[in-house]
Amino acid sequence: DVKVTQSSRYLVKRTGEKVFLECVQDMDHENMFWYRQDPGLGLRLIYFSYDVKMKEKGDIPEGYSVSREKKERFSLILESASTNQTSMYLCASSASSGDSYEQYFGPGTRLTVT
Amino acid sequence: AQSVTQLDSQVPVFEEAPVELRCNYSSSVSVYLFWYVQYPNQGLQLLLKYLSGSTLVKGINGFEAEFNKSQTSFHLRKPSVHISDTAEYFCASTNTGTASKLTFGTGTRLQVTL
């Protein structure tokens, strides 16, 4: 059974802090994704990675960076958190081969920036 | 560019009644289509997917969806809903050529009451 875990379910940070959100998957998936979810806006892709040390910007990368040093781990970094980054953050992974194309999601991290 | 439209942000329905959640997509190329469900305080879980073949796709928990290419739709249906179906439902698409990235709709909140 595929498992995607995220380091925290709830996080409260202050404006200007550096924030790290960690995601780990145990299925040897090549692709990993970070989304933010806001009411009425659905899921919006922040960054994704299709291999170790490889990354591509998604639809809303501003204010975020990512790191993928190992295949199973994908980190989202908020260099200087702002209140407009208060949101639910979802990590997902998928295989790049085969015919499934399914993305597997973690439980999410609800981040509040005060 | 792809887009996915979920016209209904909320759908209230009584238990044991049928329900249809609407999804329309726009793409100039062939697409794969997905429905995900998100229960309160959880990540997203795949309900069903259309990759090719039969246009009627059956998923988990008694849900099904029909791919209609001429109307660019992929509506989700269930003949008789249960209280436990209360959740948010997301439609998503991806181009068959670059099947890693998903484009999500804004979600439909299904509220089932007695």
Side-chain angles (χ1 to χ4, degrees):
Chain A
D1 214 19
V2 177
K3 197 156 187 180
V4 179
T5 56
Q6 296 183 228
S7 50
S8 306
R9 292 299 304 271
Y10 300 93
L11 211 52
V12 180
K13 295 293 182 180
R14 293 189 182 276
T15 302
E17 277 193 85
K18 190 168 186 176
V19 181
F20 292 87
L21 302 183
E22 304 284 339
C23 175
V24 178
Q25 51 96 2
D26 66 359
M27 277 302 291
D28 203 36
H29 284 166
E30 292 81 10
N31 305 316
M32 295 189 75
F33 308 83
W34 274 107
Y35 296 90
R36 65 176 282 175
Q37 181 182 8
D38 299 289
L41 297 178
L43 275 73
R44 294 178 291 167
L45 182 65
I46 304 171
Y47 268 97
F48 73 101
S49 168
Y50 50 89
D51 201 351
V52 175
K53 297 191 187 294
M54 307 300 286
K55 62 185 179 186
E56 279 196 29
K57 293 180 180 179
D59 301 318
I60 52 163
E62 297 78 19
Y64 304 94
S65 62
V66 290
S67 172
R68 193 164 179 204
E69 296 296 319
K70 292 186 177 181
K71 191 174 185 180
E72 67 271 19
R73 188 180 298 270
F74 191 35
S75 303
L76 180 69
I77 303 154
L78 287 67
E79 294 288 343
S80 178
S82 64
T83 55
N84 62 12
Q85 292 178 309
T86 290
S87 186
M88 170 71 91
Y89 291 87
L90 292 166
C91 175
S93 71
S94 70
S96 62
S97 58
D99 61 357
S100 172
Y101 308 110
E102 177 181 354
Q103 289 188 16
Y104 296 84
F105 284 81
T109 296
R110 187 166 294 282
L111 172 67
T112 303
V113 182
T114 61
Chain B
Q2 287 183 77
S3 68
V4 176
T5 302
Q6 293 181 246
L7 290 167
D8 306 304
S9 59
Q10 294 189 67
V11 173
V13 63
F14 290 111
E15 192 174 38
E16 297 183 5
V19 71
E20 178 178 83
L21 305 184
R22 296 180 293 169
C23 172
N24 288 89
Y25 68 92
S26 69
S27 176
S28 57
V29 298
S30 297
V31 294
Y32 298 137
L33 294 160
F34 306 79
W35 275 100
Y36 282 83
V37 60
Q38 184 180 34
Y39 298 105
N41 298 316
Q42 294 186 28
L44 275 69
Q45 175 185 352
L46 183 70
L47 265 182
L48 48 79
K49 62 188 175 189
Y50 172 78
L51 304 182
S52 64
S54 172
T55 57
L56 184 63
V57 180
K58 293 191 184 296
I60 61 171
N61 301 340
F63 283 93
E64 64 181 30
E66 185 153 21
F67 171 61
N68 188 320
K69 188 174 182 179
S70 62
Q71 297 190 8
T72 61
S73 68
F74 191 54
H75 301 332
L76 181 71
R77 291 190 284 260
K78 187 169 182 178
S80 176
V81 294
H82 190 266
I83 288 281
S84 60
D85 293 323
T86 294
E88 186 130 27
Y89 292 79
F90 292 94
C91 183
S93 73
T94 184
N95 287 341
T96 58
T98 56
S100 295
K101 291 169 58 177
L102 294 179
T103 298
F104 284 86
T106 52
T108 297
R109 171 86 179 151
L110 177 64
Q111 182 68 51
V112 182
T113 54
L114 294 170

